[in-house]
Amino acid sequence: MNLNEAIIKRRSVRAYQDKPVAPELIQKIFHEAQESPSNCNTQPWHVVVASGNARDEIEKSMVSDIMAGKTPTPHFTPGDQNLKDEYRKRQIACAISLYDAMDIKYEEKDKRQQLMLRNWQFFGAPHAAFFSMPKTMSEINAVDMGIYLQTVMLLMTANGLGSCPQGALAMYTDKVHELANIPDNHAIMFGLSFGYPDESAPINQFDVGRAELGDSVEFLT
Ligand SMILES: Cc1cc2nc3c(=O)[nH]c(=O)nc-3n(C[C@H](O)[C@H](O)[C@H](O)COP(=O)(O)O)c2cc1C
């Protein structure tokens, strides 16, 4: 698969086959992603890849925090806060596409909440990765995190895997900190569920689309 094909094919995958990814392939993907560029080559990312029992323990802890009504504790401001104008419209359109794919009406609050909960069940993926960066870093360093994330996701696509980046996975992170050696001054910014996609699942059938090129890019001559 060439780069262009991987960019077009990558989509957020929200249902997975019950089939773990070989540890060698996971290692290879993260090894290659180390080539990502960053400000002054600082490489601010630290990643915890959870599989097997560790993955299950984290899911259990996150779901029980939510069920207990615990207040989420993200360190970095979540990306869905205070959206306005066209950004708010796109956020709503994105949610509606998801509900439509699952045949959920807006009034069906229980079903919407069940769907939301799937975030912390990693949408059934056998693996979940947690990406952190130093708490003292700012927006420009977050660019490095985004570049790195997209590199990981494209490598996954090119290797037949699916993934879903999730800000939701930065909300209840106590168990990840307990199990892993995340540097003390780091905070988790987002997570990534990944595995082999369930291509036939209804939730994987929709495409949210994109704005017209002219709405995003201006060419001066
Ligand atoms: C930083 C980031 C955080 C995201 N957080 C979530 C999330 O918490 N839950 C979710 O289902 N999708 C999440 N997404 C996926 C977006 O909804 C998705 O990328 C967008 O709608 C475009 O769709 P596509 O990835 O299928 O092309 C996130 C994406 C990014 C880049």
Side-chain angles (χ1 to χ4, degrees):
M1 189 183 293
N2 68 31
L3 177 62
N4 190 270
E5 287 166 341
I7 290 170
I8 301 294
K9 186 169 168 50
R10 188 217 58 79
R11 285 289 172 256
S12 293
V13 169
R14 297 184 179 89
Y16 292 84
Q17 296 175 41
D18 184 14
K19 173 183 165 190
V21 181
E24 299 74 24
L25 179 55
I26 298 178
Q27 285 264 345
K28 177 173 122 61
I29 286 169
F30 282 94
H31 191 252
E32 290 174 3
Q34 283 293 103
E35 294 303 321
S36 305
S38 56
N39 279 276
C40 309
N41 201 27
T42 47
Q43 307 161 69
W45 48 82
H46 178 276
V47 188
V48 175
V49 181
S51 309
N53 287 342
R55 174 236 176 266
D56 295 348
E57 252 192 86
I58 294 167
E59 172 183 335
K60 206 171 144 202
S61 166
M62 288 182 167
V63 169
S64 99
D65 282 353
I66 290 154
M67 291 308 185
K70 242 175 136 177
T71 308
T73 53
H75 174 81
F76 300 105
T77 307
D80 60 356
Q81 305 281 299
N82 306 319
L83 294 176
K84 293 196 172 51
D85 306 325
E86 70 263 43
Y87 309 111
R88 177 79 179 132
K89 281 189 197 146
R90 288 174 194 161
Q91 178 193 29
I92 293 168
C94 177
I96 289 173
S97 304
L98 195 56
Y99 302 148
D100 283 352
M102 297 305 286
D103 213 8
I104 296 174
K105 311 233 171 336
Y106 187 79
E107 307 75 67
E108 297 177 303
K109 198 174 170 202
D110 278 2
K111 287 191 184 172
R112 283 196 286 123
Q113 282 176 341
Q114 284 304 316
L115 185 57
M116 189 65 188
L117 189 65
R118 294 294 291 155
N119 270 286
W120 296 282
Q121 297 166 325
F122 313 129
F123 295 110
H127 310 276
F130 299 88
F131 297 66
S132 65
M133 82 168 187
K135 292 175 187 169
T136 49
M137 287 189 171
S138 64
E139 292 89 344
I140 195 69
N141 310 99
V143 172
D144 303 343
M145 299 296 288
I147 291 172
Y148 177 75
L149 170 67
Q150 172 76 333
T151 304
V152 169
M153 292 194 297
L154 292 179
L155 285 166
M156 288 183 172
T157 302
N159 283 280
L161 304 180
S163 65
C164 186
Q166 291 165 259
L169 297 185
M171 303 292 162
Y172 305 92
T173 58
D174 289 354
K175 190 51 115 184
V176 190
H177 282 275
E178 184 191 314
L179 294 179
N181 293 311
I182 299 175
D184 282 347
N185 62 335
H186 272 226
I188 293 171
M189 185 171 258
F190 50 80
L192 185 75
S193 299
F194 68 92
Y196 290 97
D198 176 351
E199 306 276 6
S200 63
I203 200 166
N204 286 337
Q205 304 309 319
F206 77 100
D207 187 340
V208 281
R210 295 294 188 266
E212 293 297 323
L213 181 63
D215 292 342
S216 305
V217 186
E218 187 179 348
F219 298 96
L220 297 180
T221 55

